[in-house]
Amino acid sequence: MAEYIDHDGAAEDCEVPDLSDTEDDDDEEQWQWMDENADVAVTCLFCDRLMNSVAVTLQHCQANHGVSIPDLVKRHRLGDYGYIKMINYIRSVKCSSDSLKHILDGACPWENDDYMKPVLPDDPLLQIDLEELCGPEVMVVGKSDGEQLTDLLVRSQQAEERALRSEEALAMAMQDLHKLKLLAQDLVLNADTTRVSSAAGPIAELREDEDEAYFSSYGHYSIHEEMLKDKVRTESYRDFIYLNQDVFKDKVVLDVGCGTGILSMFAARAGARKVIGVDQSEIVYQAMDIVRLNNLEDTITLIKGRIEEVNLPVDKVDIIISEWMGYFLLFESMLDSVIYSRDMYLAEGGSVYPDRCNISLAAVGDAQKHQDRIAFWDDVYGFKMTCMKKAVVPEAVVEVLKPETLISEPSVIQTIDCNTARLSDLEFTADFSLKITQSTQCTAIVGYFDISFDGGCGNKVVFSTGPRCTKTHWKQTVFLLEEPVAVQSGQDLPGRVTVRKNRKDPRSLLVTFDLAERKLTYSLQ
Ligand code: SAH
């Protein structure tokens, strides 16, 4: 309802009864809110008195006629229209205060819409605010069903808008949080890089108990069985050693991480004068038996211990052989130990084998696999589990890739020469560009490595762990993209990759891709 309307001068002519005698303190408080709107001419509802304010009039009705208008509003649950009709009804039928008191609940005689018409022009009693008169809670119950429904709808709409705004704000906060997380991750990883490039590096610094799980995994025969049965791997070492006997003849050879002793025995058979095999895992005790079984104990000496901690029976060696490669080449960080051995024990002019290693990437288009691993979470037995993608995507997958899903030429992102590499080369950032060979969706990036026994060998030996070659136990490493990227045949798909050790576990890797304006970090563990 509107504010009170001023009736210029009217109040001066009014007979204003002195009600002070009849007022008690509570009443004063009850009507106080209307005093600021005084100075209008208001006719009493039940007699001819004119008063100068609505408050005084209502107070007069209660005190002199025993009718509390706010009580009536509450009792009959009147809304704005109901109240107007009641005032006009009282004025038009001049009903007595007594008859008003006896009207039954829900049987209001002013229901007719004719009572919407004011009986007195500019009646100030029709211009009061019901909420102020009776309090806000009455407004809800005081309304008709239709009005209440409209009220509820408006309120629920407002609540919905507020919820939407809150959701948007929350989503933005989550995004900020995610950016902060990446920033913090970057800061932590970068801050530690200096430590890695220092002399020994974290693998050499690892305490025995910290690395226990790693070496105990090599204590079981099964992992060695798998490696020995990987013909691509083992025959490459064998062929390199047997086909280049001149390289080994009368040399002192160090086999870093000898396992079952297979490489030591190849070297011994190829004519090495002395072979020293070192391994920290329990498998070395089997190797000792194996060496004896093959009557090679005069040539081969086996030592149990970490290469970083043992005392070798020689100061220098001519050749270092080792099979140190992990998934995506650098997983396990065993190359750290080979570099350590080289710097510690390799004689001037000596060689490390294998020597040259490449890490390559290629684009993959495999909608089926993407569906199986990522879109799967959109609807699981009728439930959304999309949040799971955040856990699934960042874990690189070691699996054999179908060569027909390759959709680009490979691109070498890092070349390592074991004769010259430093620890700092094992963590790197490289820009790459993948030449796309098919117009489709790129759903993943695959990583793998190639190994060569090269320097000083008349018969070079090379093998690859790529998806187009015979599969090895290293398989390939697949980095799934959460959102596939549309690519066109002939285009270059540019990107940047960063490979780092995980500071929490230096034997595992973190691989970050900047690709198609997205940054994705994968762990390999
Ligand atoms: N040379 C064997 C085994 C290769 S697996 C073969 O070709 O079949 C790697 C081996 O290196 C494991 O047995 C592991 O225990 C050992 N190894 C890894 N890091 C080592 C380290 N720092 N010191 C000693 N042994 C290590």
Side-chain angles (χ1 to χ4, degrees):
M1 279 191 199
E3 293 290 311
Y4 296 104
I5 299 168
D6 277 345
H7 291 256
D8 283 343
E12 285 153 31
D13 307 327
C14 297
E15 185 197 339
V16 180
D18 181 5
L19 299 168
S20 50
D21 292 344
T22 54
E23 287 166 3
D24 60 29
D25 285 352
D26 281 352
D27 286 345
E28 246 172 54
E29 243 175 57
Q30 187 184 350
W31 306 116
Q32 233 165 18
W33 59 272
M34 283 182 180
D35 282 353
E36 63 208 53
N37 299 299
D39 237 12
V40 290
V42 194
T43 310
C44 171
L45 286 167
F46 306 104
C47 65
D48 294 334
R49 285 262 171 93
L50 264 182
M51 280 149 283
N52 71 343
S53 82
V54 168
V56 171
T57 311
L58 295 177
Q59 204 174 4
H60 163 83
C61 290
Q62 188 169 349
N64 291 42
H65 304 288
V67 176
S68 160
I69 297 299
D71 282 356
L72 278 178
V73 169
K74 288 178 195 168
R75 210 180 93 211
H76 295 295
R77 303 161 69 84
L78 301 180
D80 289 339
Y81 296 143
Y83 167 79
I84 291 171
K85 287 196 229 172
M86 178 183 76
I87 296 295
N88 290 328
Y89 166 79
I90 298 171
R91 289 203 192 284
S92 69
V93 303
K94 295 192 178 6
C95 81
S96 68
S97 52
D98 271 351
S99 63
L100 260 190
K101 287 178 209 157
H102 296 113
I103 292 172
L104 293 174
D105 295 350
C108 303
W110 53 79
E111 290 293 355
N112 196 317
D113 280 350
D114 288 349
Y115 294 117
M116 283 300 290
K117 202 170 149 213
V119 175
L120 299 180
D122 296 332
D123 186 349
L125 281 183
L126 299 183
Q127 294 162 39
I128 65 170
D129 188 331
L130 259 200
E131 201 170 5
E132 275 185 68
L133 181 70
C134 307
E137 71 283 5
V138 176
M139 296 307 293
V140 179
V141 293
K143 290 184 176 179
S144 70
D145 286 354
E147 285 169 333
Q148 285 192 38
L149 194 65
T150 315
D151 251 14
L152 279 174
L153 282 174
V154 170
R155 280 185 204 192
S156 71
Q157 214 167 11
Q158 287 168 343
E160 203 173 318
E161 278 164 17
R162 274 201 306 276
L164 274 175
R165 278 198 300 274
S166 306
E167 265 176 28
E168 278 167 18
L170 189 67
M172 279 165 69
M174 297 280 280
Q175 264 177 17
D176 287 349
L177 207 66
H178 186 64
K179 281 185 202 156
L180 275 173
K181 207 171 117 184
L182 289 177
L183 200 72
Q185 208 175 45
D186 264 13
L187 281 173
V188 171
L189 293 172
N190 287 334
D192 272 1
T193 309
T194 45
R195 221 185 99 210
V196 174
S197 42
S198 69
I203 296 303
E205 286 169 15
L206 281 176
R207 288 195 319 267
E208 202 176 318
D209 60 319
E210 287 175 319
D211 227 5
E212 206 180 275
Y214 172 71
F215 287 113
S216 67
S217 74
Y218 277 111
H220 197 263
Y221 75 88
S222 58
I223 189 166
H224 295 277
E225 182 177 350
E226 187 190 14
M227 289 188 290
L228 293 169
K229 285 180 174 167
D230 180 342
K231 285 188 161 196
V232 173
R233 179 201 88 112
T234 312
E235 287 183 359
S236 295
Y237 276 87
R238 184 199 64 189
D239 293 350
F240 150 66
I241 296 170
Y242 286 178
L243 295 174
N244 293 285
Q245 297 205 7
D246 53 317
V247 173
F248 286 85
K249 184 99 183 85
D250 295 331
K251 297 285 170 47
V252 178
V253 178
L254 172 63
D255 178 0
V256 178
C258 62
T260 52
I262 184 73
L263 306 186
S264 296
M265 294 188 293
F266 287 150
R269 284 251 169 102
R273 176 163 56 89
K274 184 164 198 59
V275 182
I276 302 156
V278 178
D279 207 300
Q280 161 71 346
S281 87
E282 303 276 312
I283 196 72
V284 76
Y285 299 123
Q286 299 284 359
M288 289 170 183
D289 288 346
I290 293 167
V291 164
R292 272 193 295 272
L293 278 173
N294 291 283
N295 303 316
L296 290 168
E297 64 268 34
D298 291 342
T299 312
I300 301 174
T301 304
L302 296 176
I303 301 171
K304 161 104 169 51
R306 270 170 31 108
I307 191 69
E308 293 86 352
E309 287 165 0
V310 294
N311 289 317
L312 293 194
V314 295
D315 284 341
K316 293 288 167 190
V317 300
D318 304 305
I319 294 172
I320 292 177
I321 48 171
S322 181
E323 198 280 79
W324 51 267
M325 293 82 80
Y327 300 132
F328 199 53
L329 188 69
L330 297 175
F331 182 71
E332 284 187 44
S333 293
M334 194 182 151
L335 182 54
D336 288 33
S337 300
V338 175
I339 291 175
Y340 175 89
S341 314
R342 179 199 69 198
D343 294 347
M344 250 338 241
Y345 298 114
L346 193 65
E348 238 353 84
S351 301
V352 180
Y353 293 109
D355 47 357
R356 285 174 61 82
C357 322
N358 283 341
I359 305 177
S360 297
L361 297 178
V364 179
D366 190 344
Q368 185 58 51
K369 182 57 63 66
H370 197 269
Q371 170 76 29
D372 282 357
R373 305 231 41 236
I374 309 291
F376 166 78
W377 299 104
D378 286 334
D379 180 355
V380 182
Y381 299 96
F383 297 99
K384 287 181 195 154
M385 294 198 185
T386 35
C387 55
M388 294 286 280
K389 293 182 191 175
K390 290 271 173 280
V392 173
V393 173
E395 275 191 24
V397 186
V398 174
E399 64 185 3
V400 176
L401 195 96
K402 292 189 208 123
E404 61 271 23
T405 63
L406 287 170
I407 57 161
S408 82
E409 287 167 14
S411 170
V412 174
I413 56 159
Q414 180 72 322
T415 297
I416 292 169
D417 183 337
C418 297
N419 283 295
T420 54
R422 289 164 300 140
L423 288 183
S424 55
D425 298 329
L426 313 186
E427 294 185 283
F428 59 90
T429 294
D431 289 321
F432 61 85
S433 185
L434 301 173
K435 183 106 193 133
I436 300 293
T437 52
Q438 244 184 70
S439 298
T440 183
Q441 299 279 330
C442 172
T443 56
I445 300 291
V446 62
Y448 60 89
F449 60 90
D450 309 321
I451 295 294
S452 53
F453 302 86
D454 192 302
C457 309
N459 295 302
K460 300 185 193 316
V461 173
V462 175
F463 75 91
S464 172
T465 65
R468 293 197 193 280
C469 300
T470 309
K471 70 172 186 205
T472 68
H473 78 287
W474 288 288
K475 304 174 184 172
Q476 284 88 39
T477 304
V478 180
F479 306 94
L480 280 167
L481 303 180
E482 183 169 354
E483 300 290 341
V485 177
V487 289
Q488 294 297 318
S489 177
Q491 93 167 80
D492 285 318
L493 179 63
R496 169 175 287 197
V497 62
T498 300
V499 177
R500 286 179 266 211
K501 288 174 182 155
N502 186 341
R503 297 289 159 238
K504 287 190 203 149
D505 171 12
R507 290 209 181 267
S508 77
L509 286 182
L510 289 175
V511 182
T512 303
F513 285 97
D514 281 291
L515 191 79
E517 287 165 15
R518 268 163 257 165
K519 197 183 181 91
L520 298 150
T521 295
Y522 298 84
S523 65
L524 194 52
Q525 46 207 345

